[in-house]
Amino acid sequence: MFKENKYFGEVWFKESEDAKCFCVLELIEDKIFITTNLTEKYTAYQIDVIYGMFTGLGYVTFVNCNIQHSSTGIVETKVYRPKYTLVCAYHLIDPINLKTNELQ
């Protein structure tokens, strides 16, 4: 699925699709990390769902994203590590309650 180690795109939260932020998706040792300045209004160590669109991948849905690193300054930056990453032609309506035996 991933032909490159780094992809560029935009990410947003379901509630605020009009507030998209630049993002870098990196594949490091078969783990996906997303670096962005997209942040929640309230402090949280995990974000349930982040939606994205990346050049070379299309639409990507990130589920159960734990914050791996956070830095503040002029711009606040966070590195998220999603537990599940779903790449498809459109965003899943409710990936939290998705029930399936197998995804490929």
Side-chain angles (χ1 to χ4, degrees), residues 2-92:
F2 295 102
K3 296 178 182 176
E4 304 290 330
N5 289 334
K6 192 180 280 191
Y7 294 90
F8 301 96
E10 294 180 313
V11 290
W12 61 92
F13 296 124
K14 181 179 181 177
E15 312 82 42
S16 55
E17 187 174 344
D18 57 338
K20 295 179 180 179
C21 293
F22 177 75
C23 181
V24 177
L25 182 151
E26 290 184 276
L27 186 64
I28 302 171
E29 297 177 7
D30 293 329
K31 295 178 185 170
I32 295 174
F33 295 91
I34 53 175
T35 304
T36 182
N37 60 345
L38 182 71
T39 58
E40 276 284 337
K41 199 162 57 170
Y42 304 105
T43 305
Y45 74 94
Q46 179 177 321
I47 305 299
D48 290 333
V49 178
I50 297 175
Y51 294 111
M53 185 170 183
F54 293 86
T55 303
L57 285 178
Y59 290 100
V60 183
T61 304
F62 304 102
V63 182
N64 293 343
C65 304
N66 289 324
I67 296 173
Q68 298 294 300
H69 179 73
S70 179
S71 63
T72 58
I74 295 174
V75 176
E76 184 175 3
T77 304
K78 296 206 184 278
V79 178
Y80 297 99
R81 182 169 184 282
K83 185 172 184 178
Y84 304 104
T85 303
L86 307 169
V87 179
C88 56
Y90 55 91
H91 290 292
L92 298 173

